[in-house]
Amino acid sequence: MNEKVYKTMRSVGGWSIALGVIVIAVGVIAGVMQIIQGGRLLSSKKDITF
C-alpha cells in the first residue's frame, strides 16, 4: 500500500516540476515580448498624434 502511494506522489511531483518550468518559460517569453513592443511604441512615439 505504501509503495503505491509513494509512486503516485513521485509522479505528481514530477508533473508539478514540469508544469512549473513551462509556466516560467511562458512568463519569460511574454515579458520579453512586452519589452520589445514597448520599445517599438517608444521609438514611434513621434508619429502618434491625438
Side-chain angles (χ1 to χ4, degrees), residues 26-43:
V26 169
V28 168
I29 291 169
V32 169
M33 290 174 63
Q34 290 293 322
I35 291 170
I36 291 171
Q37 292 301 321
R40 285 184 183 173
L41 280 174
L42 287 175
S43 68

Side-chain angles (χ1 to χ4, degrees), residues 12-25:
V12 169
W15 281 108
S16 294
I17 291 172
L19 183 62
V21 169
I22 291 170
V23 168
I24 288 171

